[in-house]
């Protein structure tokens, strides 16, 4: 057989060119050497066939890859058959795809892994992911929520067999029920017998001639279900808990998957959560903070009374023990922290302003420890600067 011309050379290209360059070169040359434009020109006809063959290979990613690696022998098994190449030396029917399959089977026989798993083995069902929105207090104390979801379940019509009612899967006539067929192939190492998955039954050893109308022969159907789930007390925003065995049903007797429920907690108008502790800001009047008073404090258990001491300062924090969030799946609770915010009155009447001025007149520095400390530091600072100047 005469030596073939390099496909890239036929199109006037170099190896490594892009797909667009291949397409552009072919169109240009095909128009130039098209038989309709060159009637009776045998050379143009031969050139047109040559560039057509080159484009047919180089425009196909798989063929182009084999050509780049093995040359013409990678895309034409009969190439150089008379010279003892793979195509002629082993019967003309052997290609590189077969070689890859053969070596895969050879090495898998020595403990290597195969790319296909047994289709009859028990397979665990997939997990289901759900999201549930709850209030702050529902998350703190736990609750029950009804959820709607879809799940793959074993077909009730055929009990998972995939066969129509009154029928059953039949033994595959191609493999005799083994799921594999033995194939003899010529290789560079001689004739090798290999075992391959039966294409007719997909390796199951059974074929379904009359599929179940409910599941179309798949053995499982997707159903929409509703179920009540228990939200555990103390769960936080973004946390996930798992309900075992509530996911998709398994295949071939495999176990069901799980249901993973992620909780989203709506914010509360009064409470903020920090771990298992609860924080709450409470505004009080100037008089309440100055004289002390009994105030009402909201907690996740309800309202409680608390006596704030005389002279409470802005930002003072007091603690209510065991009034926080319950620990998840454990005993005990966090704490509740209450922060005092003193509100400065606005919109005072003339009488109220006069009363405050009178109060200010009869007050002294001893009533304002922070103010007195600041003034002492201020005086000390200026005295030090005066001495340094001298």
């Amino acid at each position: 057989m005469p030596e073939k011309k390099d496909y890239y050379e036929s199109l006037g290209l170099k190896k490594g060119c892009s797909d667009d360059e291949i397409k552009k070169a072919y169109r240009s040359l095909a128009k130039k050497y098209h038989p309709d434009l060159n009637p009776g020109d045998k050379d143009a006809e031969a050139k047109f066939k040559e560039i057509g063959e080159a484009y047919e290979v180089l425009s196909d990613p798989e063929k182009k890859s084999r050509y780049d690696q093995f040359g013409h022998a990678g895309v034409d098994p009969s190439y150089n058959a008379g010279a003892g190449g793979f195509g002629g030396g082993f019967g003309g029917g052997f290609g590189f795809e077969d070689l890859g399959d053969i070596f895969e089977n050879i090495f898998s026989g020595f403990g290597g892994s195969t790319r296909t798993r047994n289709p009859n083995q028990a397979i665990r069902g997939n997990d289901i992911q759900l999201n549930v929105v709850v209030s702050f207090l529902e998350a703190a104390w736990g609750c029950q929520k009804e959820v709607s979801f879809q799940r793959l379940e074993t077909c009730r019509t055929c009990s998972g067999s995939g066969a129509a009612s009154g029928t059953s899967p039949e033994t595959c006539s191609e493999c005799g029920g083994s799921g594999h067929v033995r194939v003899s192939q010529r290789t560079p190492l001689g004739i090798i017998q290999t075992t391959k998955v039966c294409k007719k039954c997909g390796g199951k050893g059974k074929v379904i001639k009359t599929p179940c109308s409910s599941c179309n022969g798949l053995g499982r159907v997707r159903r929409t279900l509703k179920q009540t789930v228990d939200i555990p007390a103390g769960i936080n925003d973004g946390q996930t808990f798992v309900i075992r065995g509530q996911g998709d049903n398994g295949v071939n007797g495999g176990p069901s998957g799980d249901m993973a429920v992620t909780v989203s907690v709506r914010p509360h108008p009064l409470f903020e959560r920090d771990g298992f502790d609860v924080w709450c800001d409470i505004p009080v009047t100037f008089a309440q903070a100055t004289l002390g008073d009994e105030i009402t404090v909201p907690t996740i258990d309800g309202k409680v009374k608390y006596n704030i001491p005389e002279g409470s300062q802005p930002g003072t924090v007091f603690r209510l023990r065991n009034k926080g969030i319950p620990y998840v799946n454990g005993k005990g609770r966090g704490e509740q922290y209450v922060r005092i915010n003193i509100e400065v009155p606005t919109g005072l009447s003339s009488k109220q302003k006069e009363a405050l001025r009178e109060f200010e007149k009869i007050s002294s520095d001893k009533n304002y420890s922070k103010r007195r400390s600041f003034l002492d530091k201020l005086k000390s600072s200026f005295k030090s600067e005066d001495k340094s100047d001298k």
Side-chain angles (χ1 to χ4, degrees), residues 23-301:
K23 185 181 296 184
K24 185 177 180 181
Y26 168 71
R27 288 179 177 176
S28 176
L29 292 172
K31 183 177 180 181
K32 179 179 178 181
Y33 293 105
H34 197 282
D36 291 344
L37 299 178
N38 300 274
D41 190 337
K42 298 296 182 181
D43 291 338
E45 183 179 348
K47 184 65 176 178
F48 184 77
K49 290 181 180 180
E50 176 188 323
I51 61 176
E53 180 181 340
Y55 182 70
E56 191 267 335
V57 171
L58 298 182
S59 63
D60 185 314
E62 184 179 347
K63 291 180 180 179
K64 181 175 179 290
S65 176
R66 294 203 304 268
Y67 178 74
D68 287 345
Q69 187 173 1
F70 301 108
H72 290 292
V75 293
D76 184 358
S78 63
Y79 180 72
N80 274 345
F86 283 152
F90 295 95
F94 178 78
F96 285 95
E97 300 92 338
D98 301 314
L99 182 62
D101 292 339
I102 290 169
F103 279 117
E104 179 184 345
N105 284 307
I106 291 173
F107 290 114
S108 67
F110 291 98
S113 62
T114 60
R115 289 176 290 182
T116 57
R117 63 181 178 185
N118 181 6
N120 293 315
Q121 74 182 44
I123 302 173
R124 179 182 181 275
N126 290 327
D127 294 336
I128 294 174
Q129 306 288 335
L130 296 180
N131 186 274
V132 176
V133 179
V134 300
S135 70
F136 187 94
L137 294 180
E138 286 176 329
W141 294 115
C143 63
Q144 290 187 327
K145 288 287 183 179
E146 186 178 70
V147 295
S148 178
F149 60 96
Q150 289 189 328
R151 177 171 67 195
L152 283 173
E153 293 189 343
T154 301
C155 178
R156 298 172 186 173
T157 304
C158 66
S159 300
S161 71
S165 179
T167 68
S168 59
E170 300 179 7
T171 300
C172 177
S173 60
E174 189 74 22
C175 64
S178 67
H180 294 81
V181 292
R182 187 173 294 277
V183 179
S184 297
Q185 293 175 291
R186 290 182 177 274
T187 76
L189 306 178
I191 297 177
I192 295 180
Q193 286 191 332
T194 61
T195 300
K196 291 188 175 183
V197 174
C198 177
K199 294 182 178 179
K200 185 174 182 179
C201 65
K204 293 184 177 181
K206 301 280 186 179
V207 292
I208 300 174
K209 290 190 175 180
T210 309
C212 171
S213 59
S214 298
C215 65
N216 295 320
L218 298 176
R220 293 190 302 174
V221 293
R222 188 173 296 279
R223 289 195 175 94
T224 299
L225 305 171
K226 288 186 178 181
Q227 180 175 319
T228 299
V229 298
D230 294 318
I231 309 298
I235 197 164
N236 207 348
D237 182 59
Q239 288 185 329
T240 300
F241 65 93
V242 176
I243 304 176
R244 302 295 180 188
Q246 293 299 307
D248 289 343
N249 290 178
V251 178
N252 299 327
S256 295
D258 298 329
M259 177 187 289
V261 183
T262 301
V263 176
S264 298
V265 181
R266 292 193 298 268
H268 195 276
L270 297 178
F271 302 126
E272 288 186 9
R273 180 169 175 171
D274 181 13
F276 291 98
D277 296 332
V278 175
W279 281 78
C280 178
D281 287 346
I282 296 184
V284 299
T285 67
F286 172 76
Q288 286 177 307
T290 303
L291 303 175
D293 195 11
E294 182 182 72
I295 63 173
T296 299
V297 178
T299 73
I300 63 173
D301 299 279

